[in-house]
Every structure is written in structure tokens, then in C-alpha cells.
Amino acid sequence: LNAKASYEYALRQPSTDEIFGDGMLVLDNLALRPETSHNANLGVFAEDHETPAGKFRGSVLGFARWSDDLIALLSEGDFLRNVNVWETRALGVESALGWTVPKSLGRGEWLLLDGRLTYQDLRNDSSEGAFVKQSGDRIPSIPYLLANATARLRTRGFVVPTDRVELAWNTRYVHEFYRGWESLATKAQRLTVDSQLSHGALLTYALEGE
């Protein structure tokens, strides 16, 4: 069992694309300022722990971020533009849990299950600036609830003694979020990015050297 705590003061310069846009949907903002932030993290991590029911692993990480001049991509009608939000505050937690099949149910680690859940509350905390009237709103266009899960099947010696085959299935979920400031419109008028659930499969075949 491991614990970790960290603090960071960061300065992020805007990228070329954030300043000049993409020439299509994202407009330019030549007055974009660098973003500064205080970042703190506190987490507990458990390595693979062998039990009669299999190997277990997991982690819980809490994080906080206070930013000045946060660079955010906001909607302007049919277009988007990167702008500075005077002050923001983000609080969140990220958790993960994994399990590997016990040795008593077969040879090797032939089944592994892993899942991860993230919740982040990123809000405008401005006391002045262009978005002071939206103080308390979530920052638009940023998901606040995400989850993913993976199942992996493994086997060795499938064709020749030194080969390894793995079949993995991935599932990813992103909860719905707003494209604009939530206080500027009624619930029926808010532009919303719908929840998304996606799946993917991966088949890997490898030969190991002797």
C-alpha cells in the first residue's frame, strides 16, 4: 500500500492552435494570456495483492486545481474560440479497481478485469473579468464524469510454445455536459453534448524470444 501527495505551481503558455485557431471552426484570439495554476494531489495506491480469490489492485486519487486565466474553448454561435477565464477551481476524485483470476482456476493470468471512474467539478470562480456574471457555473465543453473498463483474455502456446495471444475488450463512457454557460439559458435551451458509450476490441498475437 502506497500513499502519495504532491503540489505543483505551473505556468502554461497558450499553444499556436489556441492563439491562431484552426482556420475553420476555431477562431483566433491574439490576446490570449498564459495560464497559471496551483495543483495538489493526494492518493492511495494498492499494488497487486495475491489472495485465494485472485489478485486485487486499486487506487483512489483526490485532486484540486486553482487556476488564473484558465484557457478554455468556448462556443461563439457556430464557432469556437479559446479565451481566458479569470479564476477557476477544480476538485475531483479518480478511482481504479482491478482483478486477476486466481491461479486455482487455470494456468497463468488468463483473465484480467480493470475499471476506472473519474469525477471532476471544474467551475468558474471569477470575482472580475468577462465571465464574472457566470461565476459558479461549470466550465463549458469539459466532461465532468467519465468511466472506462477493460477485460483481457490471455493465453500462451496457442500455435507454437513461445507465442502469446491476448483479446481485449474496452468500454468507455462520457456523461453529458453543456457546450455553453448553464446560467445563460433555461434547461430546455442549453446546448448539450449527449452521453457517449463506445466499445472497442483488440486482438494481439506475439512471439517471444527464447
Side-chain angles (χ1 to χ4, degrees):
L1 188 67
N2 299 306
K4 182 185 79 170
S6 66
Y7 165 79
E8 175 190 56
Y9 175 74
L11 170 68
R12 185 175 83 82
Q13 295 288 348
S15 68
T16 302
D17 291 342
E18 290 171 333
I19 295 175
F20 297 106
D22 64 359
M24 297 175 64
L25 294 177
V26 181
L27 303 176
D28 65 278
N29 184 357
L30 303 183
L32 202 60
R33 299 183 300 274
E35 171 187 318
T36 60
S37 61
H38 298 270
N39 307 283
N41 299 277
L42 179 63
V44 178
F45 306 85
E47 306 278 341
D48 278 337
H49 180 62
E50 190 80 54
T51 73
K55 284 184 180 180
F56 290 90
R57 55 195 166 273
S59 65
V60 177
L61 175 68
F63 57 88
R65 186 170 189 249
W66 297 269
S67 302
D68 293 332
D69 288 326
L70 175 78
I71 299 173
L73 185 63
L74 301 185
S75 174
E76 293 189 3
D78 295 331
F79 298 94
L80 301 166
R81 190 193 302 272
N82 286 285
V83 300
N84 291 112
V85 181
W86 188 264
E87 289 179 278
T88 64
R89 182 267 299 155
L91 299 174
V93 62
E94 182 179 273
S95 60
L97 184 65
W99 173 78
T100 301
V101 66
K103 295 179 180 178
S104 60
L105 294 182
R107 187 186 67 176
E109 299 178 344
W110 58 271
L111 174 62
L112 299 90
L113 302 177
D114 288 278
R116 184 178 298 272
L117 177 69
T118 301
Y119 174 82
Q120 57 182 359
D121 188 34
L122 176 56
R123 293 187 181 271
N124 175 16
D125 202 25
S126 299
S127 57
E128 56 183 289
F131 304 107
V132 65
K133 292 183 179 180
Q134 289 78 49
S135 182
D137 286 6
R138 292 185 188 275
I139 301 298
S141 301
I142 298 179
Y144 63 89
L145 180 63
L146 309 97
N148 63 72
T150 302
R152 289 176 287 171
L153 288 171
R154 292 175 174 174
T155 187
R156 295 178 181 272
F158 188 72
V159 178
V160 296
T162 58
D163 71 6
R164 177 170 53 87
V165 180
E166 179 174 299
L167 176 64
W169 179 269
N170 304 301
T171 297
R172 185 170 185 263
Y173 172 77
V174 180
H175 194 61
E176 67 177 20
F177 56 94
Y178 296 131
R179 283 190 55 203
W181 296 107
E182 53 190 301
S183 62
L184 293 182
T186 64
K187 187 173 182 180
Q189 295 173 324
R190 292 171 186 159
L191 295 176
T192 303
V193 178
D194 294 332
S195 300
Q196 301 173 45
L197 181 65
S198 59
H199 305 279
L202 178 67
L203 178 63
T204 303
Y205 179 83
L207 288 171
E208 297 180 350
E210 298 183 359

